[in-house]
Amino acid sequence: MSFHHRMMLQRYGLGCTTSLYSEVLFDPIFTPIFTAVLGTGGFAIGASTITYASLASAIATTAISIGLQALLAQAPKPPKPEDGRAPLNQAIPFRVYAVGRTRVAGARMMWEAKGSNLYSVQAIAGHRIKSFNRFYLNDDEVTVVDNVVTPLTTGGRYGAGSANVRLYTRLGANPETPYAELVSELGAEGIWTNDHRGDGQASLAMRAHNADAQDQQTAFPYGAPSPSVEIDGAFCWDFRDPAQSPTNAATWTWTRNSAIILAWHLCFNEFGFGLDYQKALLPVIELWKEEADICDEDVPLAGGGTEKRYQCNGWDTTENGPKSGLNAILATCDGHLVARGDGARILTVGKFRESRTATLTDADIVGHNVQYGVLFEDECNRLVPKFTYPATNYTSCDTDFFEDTDAQIAAGRVLTMEGSYEWCHQWRQARRLGKRDWLRQRQEVKGSLDVRLSGINAVYARWVRLETPKRLPKLDGKLVENRRSIVALTKGGFTMDFIEHPEGIDDWNPATEEGQQPPVPPAVNASEIPTPVINLIQAKANGGSVYIRVVIIDPDDGSLTPVVRYRVADADGLGTPGAWVEQQNPNAEPSGGYIDLSTGNVPTDEVLDVQAAFIASNRRYSNWSVTEAVTSTSDPTPPAALTSFTLTGSAPRLGNAAFAFSTGNDTHVRTVQIYRVAAGSAFDPDTATLVGTRAVAPSAGYSFTDGDTTRTNLLTNSGFDTDTDWAKGTGWTISGGKANKTAGTQSGLTQAPSFVAGTVYRLASTVSGYSAGTARLRFTGTTTVNGAGRTANGSYLEKMTAATGNNTFVVLGDASFAGSYDDVIMFAETVSCAPQGVWDYYALPLNVSGVEGPPSGPLNVTII
C-alpha cells in the first residue's frame, strides 16, 4: 500500500471521529510536505528548499534564562564572569570572543622567565576589538601610563624598590605588530620572534621585573602577577547605518545593542553560526532594524536620566559552541528567534506589538495539551534575577527579588528560581528582565498545541491570538506567547509550547519597580581607600551648556574627597578617546545614603566616558569606578514642525527637484535636513537618503534644490503643440497636442539633436490611445540603440547610452502600432543629477543637539 493511500485511509478514519478533522483528504500545503519527505534531500516550498535536518530542529526558540526551561537544563552556558580574572592554561586553549564591555583574561600563549624578568603573552580575543579600558594584576586594578604600571593606586605593589611591571596591548589588526621588547629579549632563542604577530588576535603582553629581596614581598605579595583586562569587544555591522557595509568590517562600529550583537553572532562571528547574511538577515532586515531600535529605546530611571532598554556584554570560548552565546544574548533582551524555512532568522525582543502577532483558529489545531494550574514541582514563589556586576569587578550578583508571600505561606516554604542574565551588566535591566520572567512563571495556563501547516504563520510569530470557540473555549480570544515550536510531522505539522501572555508585562514604573542598587562590598585598593560605586549618571543642560551629574553611594567616611573625571569617548572620529579632565568635589555632602556630584561645563553633544574616585587626606587615590557613558545633550527639546514644505517650479523636472520651506517661531530649530525615499516607502532617517542640510533660524523661509538645475530638453516641440520640428513617417500625424500613428507600416517621428558618444541620456515619454503593436524610442545613425518596447498606455522613464555615429532621435512604431505619443523628453545626464524615478521627499527639523522634530512630507516628485 502506498504512503499516499495509507494517509488517505487515515484521514477518512479521523473524519468519522468527534475530533475536528475535516473529511477533505489533503490540503494544498500539507500534502507536498509529506509526499516530498519520501525523497532523500529535502522538499521545496516556492523557490526555497528545506532540508530534513532543519525539520528536526526548533523553528522558534526563546531565551533560556530561568528554571522553567528545566527540560533544557543541559543547554550550554558561557563561562561564569569570575572566570575572566585568570587566563586559561591549556596546551591548546579554546579561543575567546567578546562583545560589549567586559572583563577577560583570555588564554596564556607564552610564560617565560629570563634573568630577573618574567614575560607573558595572553590571547584576549580571537578577533579585532575596540579598546583596552582597565587593567588588573591579580585582583588589584592598576593604572598604566606609557605601558608602565604606576604606583598611583597600588600602595607599592608592583612597583616597590626595583620592581616594575609593564603591560603592552594589541587590538587585533591584520597584520598585527610584534611586541618589540619581547622580541629583543626572547627572539634569539626563538621563543618569541617577529613572526609571533598574532594577526587578527587581540592580545596582552607583560614584563614583570623582580624586586630586591627585601622588597619582593611588598611588590609581589601574591607571587607572579596575573593580568586581566576590561575591554570593549567586537565591532559589529549596524545594519541601520547606510555608511556601514556588511562586506567591509572596517566600517563597523562597537556596540552594546543586543539585536546588532545577535546578528553579528549569527552571521559574522568566526566562532558563531556562520550563516549567510544575505539569506539570514537581508530578506527580513526591516524587522531586525525595528528590534535594534527597541533595544536602543531610552527607559527612564527613578533618580532621573535614562538607560538603554536592552544591552549585551559578555565573553565565551569555543569550548561551548555557538548556542552558548546565542542563549546568553537572547537572555539580555528577552529574545525570541525564529528560523524560517528559507534560511531567514526573525528576532523579536521583549516588547509586545500587534505587528508580531498571528492567529490560530479551530481549523488550524489538531491536538492540544493545556495545563490550567501549576504542578507543585514546578511552582515558584520567588524569582532572583542574577547578572554580572562591573562594580564588584565583574562578578555574579543578585538584584532585589520578586516574590509572592501568600504563595509562600500556602506552600509552607520559599520556592526559589534564579533568572540568569549573565551577559546583562545593568542591574536595572536585570530587574526589568526578571519581572518579565516572573510574570510568565506565575501564569497558570500553559501547554502545547499541535498545529497544522495552515497555521505556519503562527509558528513563526512570537504572540498568537486564539480563535478557538470549539476546541479551546476557555482560551477563545486569549493572547498566548509562543515559547518554542518544532516541526512534528506525525502530529500534523508543528508542536508549539505556549504560555498565556501576562497582562502588564511591558508596564514599568521606575519609582516602585526599579528596586535598590545591589550592595557593593567595601573593597579597598592597596592604598586602603574604597572604590566609589556610581548609582546614577545624567547630563544636565543649563542655558546651552552642559554639566554631568554623578550620584555615588556614600562611603560613610568624611575624610574622603570625591572626584569626577570625564573624557570625550571619540576625540578624533577614529575611536581614540580624549584626555581625562578631573574635578574634585570637596564640599559635596551626603544625603540619604548618596553623594550628589557634578562637573563643570563639559563639551556639548558628545559621548563622554565618566568615572569617579576618592582622594584620601594623604592625597592617594582610590581605584576609579566603572566607566559609564553619557551623551552631553545641550538641548533635549525637539524643534517644532516646519510651518510649510512645498514643491517649487513645475514639471517636467529634468534631473532635479526644487523645494521651499519655512520655520516657525521656535528657538530650538537649528538645521533642516531634506531626505529622499522611494515613493510609498516609510520614512526612516536612518535608512533614507540624506540629500542636503540647511542651517536655519526661527521664523524664516528657505529654498533647496536636489540635483542639477542646468539640464534642458534637447528635443524641440516635445509636447507636439504645433505640426513643426518633427519629420513624420508613414501613418504619423500631429494634431490635438499629440503625435498619432495608425497601423499599417513601421515608421517613426524623427529629430536630429546633437549626440555625444558614450553619454547617458535620460528620456521620458507618454503613451495614450494605445490599441495594438509596439512602439519604442531609438537612436539611429551608424549604430542603432533601442529603448524598451511599449505595449500599453502610461508615462515612461528610461536611459539610453549614445553610440558612435548616432545622429537621429526616433519615436518608432511597428507596423501594428496604433496610438499616440506626447511629452517626449531627452537630455544628457550628469553626475549631479538627482536620480531618475518617482520619489517622496521629507524635511526633518533638528535642534543644536541633533534631536529630531516632526518630519514634514511626503512630497511626491517624478524626476526624469
Side-chain angles (χ1 to χ4, degrees), residues 312-637:
C312 178
N313 309 266
W315 65 278
D316 199 358
T317 74
T318 54
E319 179 180 11
N320 297 315
K323 284 187 178 180
S324 170
L326 173 67
N327 292 334
I329 297 169
L330 289 174
T332 66
C333 60
D334 188 25
H336 174 274
L337 187 66
V338 167
R340 212 167 63 178
D342 61 357
R345 299 298 191 268
I346 302 174
L347 171 68
T348 307
V349 301
K351 182 181 179 181
F352 175 75
R353 284 145 288 157
E354 284 290 344
S355 61
R356 299 299 180 94
T357 305
T359 300
L360 280 179
T361 67
D362 282 325
D364 298 320
I365 302 173
V366 297
H368 67 270
N369 179 11
V370 181
Q371 175 183 322
Y372 295 95
V374 180
L375 297 176
F376 180 78
E377 59 266 26
D378 296 330
E379 187 176 353
C380 168
N381 50 44
R382 174 181 289 176
L383 177 69
V384 182
K386 298 181 74 68
F387 73 111
T388 299
Y389 201 12
T392 57
N393 285 332
Y394 293 91
T395 61
S396 297
C397 189
D398 301 346
T399 69
D400 289 349
F401 48 75
F402 299 88
E403 67 177 347
D404 183 340
T405 54
D406 291 339
Q408 291 171 0
I409 293 172
R413 58 175 179 161
V414 175
L415 300 171
T416 302
M417 286 186 178
E418 291 183 347
S420 178
Y421 315 110
E422 294 176 339
W423 285 19
C424 171
H425 288 186
Q426 291 76 28
W427 61 273
R428 296 176 177 95
Q429 178 181 338
R431 281 278 296 175
R432 296 193 298 273
L433 292 167
K435 176 187 175 180
R436 302 182 70 87
D437 276 333
W438 169 247
L439 292 179
R440 287 195 197 96
Q441 183 62 18
R442 302 296 295 162
Q443 290 299 303
E444 294 189 348
V445 179
K446 307 173 184 177
S448 63
L449 301 174
D450 297 328
V451 181
R452 299 177 63 209
L453 293 183
S454 60
I456 190 170
N457 288 338
V459 172
Y460 289 141
R462 177 163 190 173
W463 296 284
V464 179
R465 292 193 184 278
L466 298 179
E467 295 181 0
T468 53
K470 296 180 180 180
R471 175 175 286 277
L472 296 169
K474 287 186 179 180
L475 297 182
D476 183 36
K478 297 289 187 179
L479 181 68
V480 300
E481 184 170 349
N482 173 10
R483 298 297 288 165
R484 185 169 180 263
S485 294
I486 61 173
V487 175
L489 298 181
T490 59
K491 294 185 178 181
F494 310 97
T495 294
M496 176 192 299
D497 295 335
F498 74 91
I499 186 170
E500 186 173 1
H501 184 66
E503 293 289 338
I505 193 171
D506 290 317
D507 297 340
W508 183 255
N509 184 344
T512 58
E513 297 182 289
E514 191 173 275
Q516 295 294 315
Q517 183 172 7
V520 179
V524 296
N525 65 358
S527 299
E528 304 299 322
I529 307 172
T531 302
V533 177
I534 294 178
N535 173 265
L536 177 70
I537 185 169
Q538 189 177 12
K540 305 285 285 186
N542 183 23
S545 61
V546 180
Y547 68 92
I548 304 300
R549 176 190 176 215
V550 181
V551 179
I552 63 173
I553 295 177
D554 179 16
D556 198 22
D557 185 344
S559 68
L560 301 176
T561 299
V563 57
V564 176
R565 70 177 184 179
Y566 66 87
R567 68 181 180 185
V568 177
D570 185 359
D572 59 1
L574 301 175
T576 305
W580 288 106
V581 178
E582 288 188 21
Q583 181 167 338
Q584 297 183 18
N585 289 256
N587 299 320
E589 294 294 332
S591 175
Y594 299 95
I595 302 177
D596 205 326
L597 312 175
S598 62
T599 67
N601 291 341
V602 301
T604 59
D605 303 317
E606 298 277 4
V607 178
L608 304 178
D609 292 333
V610 182
Q611 296 177 334
F614 291 124
I615 304 176
S617 55
N618 61 4
R619 309 307 301 164
R620 287 184 174 179
Y621 280 69
S622 72
N623 288 335
W624 290 98
S625 69
V626 173
T627 304
E628 300 285 352
V630 65
T631 301
S632 56
T633 304
S634 60
D635 184 2
T637 305

Side-chain angles (χ1 to χ4, degrees), residues 233-256:
F235 290 86
C236 302
W237 175 45
D238 188 340
F239 32 77
R240 301 170 298 175
D241 182 0
Q244 297 186 34
S245 168
T247 59
N248 183 5
T251 64
W252 300 353
T253 56
W254 175 79
T255 183
R256 297 184 181 187

Side-chain angles (χ1 to χ4, degrees), residues 725-755:
D725 301 307
W726 293 92
K728 303 186 293 292
T730 302
W732 283 97
T733 61
I734 297 177
S735 63
K738 296 181 181 180
N740 312 292
K741 182 183 181 298
T742 58
T745 304
Q746 175 171 301
S747 60
L749 292 169
T750 62
Q751 277 194 33
S754 177
F755 289 90

Side-chain angles (χ1 to χ4, degrees), residues 11 33 60 241 256 554 590 708 742 744 763 779 798:
R11 294 295 291 255
I33 288 185
D241 182 0
R256 297 184 181 187
D554 179 16
D708 187 344
T742 58
L763 302 107
F779 299 163
E798 59 187 308

Side-chain angles (χ1 to χ4, degrees), residues 42-67:
F43 60 87
I45 296 180
S48 300
T49 298
I50 306 176
T51 65
Y52 301 154
S54 68
L55 291 178
S57 61
I59 295 172
T61 304
T62 52
I64 301 174
S65 55
I66 66 171

